[in-house]
Amino acid sequence: MTSAQDTLSVGMVGYAFMGAAHSQAWRNAPRFFDLPLRIQMSAVAGRDEAKVAAAATQLGWDSTETSWQALVTRDDIDLIDVCTPGDTHAEIAIAALEAGKHVLCEKPLANTVEEAEAMVAAAEKARAAGVRSMVGFTYRRVPAIGLARRLVADGRIGTIHHVRAQYLQDWIVDPEAPLSWRLDKDKAGSGALGDIGAHIVDLTQFITGDTIDTVTGRLETFVKERPLPAEHHTGLSGTAGTDPAADRGPVTVDDAAAFLARFRGGALGVFEATRFANGRKNAIRIEINGSRGSLAFDFEDMNVLHFYDGDDGAATAGFRRILATEAEHPYVAAWWPPGHLLGYEHGFTHQVVDLVNDLAHGMDPMPSFADGLQVQRVLAAVETSSDTTTWQEIPA
Ligand code: SOE
């Protein structure tokens, strides 16, 4: 399913933060890894002609389109990379799959369970024709996280009792931080819950190899109204400087989410996702306690995994700090010598590497749209639980 036998021609929709992160991955993956397909960064799509042209030049795309519809129907494109806000994921991904294009879609997969179900149905239909799909839970590809999963699978921490996960940011703690699409339920689906809570749901399930079956939680919106972003002031509201109330709009998503979970294997989970953890910029903290040992990770020190081996004698037992930059660690051999640290962008590069290898070898990339749907169900269950103060079950 590639345009020339050895080429994967990529078209990307959206070119903001995620588009930039994905672009560097498409550019860098073949420069550091031996890939079975040559990557052609064929086109990027965005609505504003001048802005998309500038983005193409800066990010390294060969051509532009001003509509995603034009992009997904182009004969020379093999794969569509969806880097837009959540409200457009379903429509773009389904159209692309129906046009016979492989799809990489940013997380969370969709804004609702219904949309995610439709995406899974489209992905399954397309798969019969060799067309593949993947959802971009990129933190799975951090080497220390891959190592954590490996240690769990090897039984090094035994039976898991506790899963503790936090995703902490603080970018809207200032009540005067302006509204953006991420604070609009119609565009983003939910707030901290879907944007960052989705990552810790996926990560903990990935590391443990288990799935969440029950949740109860609470969502909170601390600041209910915010200033409109600068472009609205003269353009949309037309009231800049005259009526301050008219220059504000409602926040329609959660600022923070906290929930308890039970995993099918019996572990208890405690989760927290917030944009109000003053001083925490992108802290993804995961601690897992098992019958033989424990693991701890913090993305703000992302090259490190802490491992407590309960088999060590009491006199010398303690958390050991593993610098996951050895060639033995997942993905690291392609990069730098030990101790030369990797960063945020490398997860996206590893995502491209895995995706391209799977496409070339006719394998299903992971996480699949079905995995994305399962995360979506957990998010929806947390929301329902918050509305109804109940425990909610997630179907297997
Ligand atoms: C914004 O909160 C955000 O960019 C998320 O959308 C990303 O998925 C995460 O990687 C960093 O934070």
Side-chain angles (χ1 to χ4, degrees), residues 33 49 77 109 115 126 131 151 162 170 185 197 208 217 224 243 308 327 329 341 349 378 383:
F33 292 79
E49 198 172 349
I77 303 283
L109 184 61
E115 285 171 358
V131 175
L151 291 171
H162 288 289
D170 73 352
K185 191 171 176 65
T208 60
K224 298 188 170 43
D243 175 5
Y308 178 83
H329 295 136
L341 307 179
T349 308
V378 175
E383 222 169 328

Side-chain angles (χ1 to χ4, degrees), residues 212-215 264 374 377-379 381-382 392-396:
I212 292 171
D213 74 358
T214 330
V215 292
R264 288 195 162 73
Q374 189 271 342
R377 288 197 167 120
V378 175
L379 303 179
V382 172
Q392 292 289 313
E393 281 181 25
I394 295 103

Side-chain angles (χ1 to χ4, degrees), residues 17 107 139 167 169 171 182 195-196 199 282 344:
F17 176 17
K107 52 48 64 178
Y139 293 118
Y167 199 145
Q169 297 182 339
W171 56 278
R182 288 183 197 274
D195 184 28
I196 53 179
H199 278 302
N282 205 46
Y344 175 64

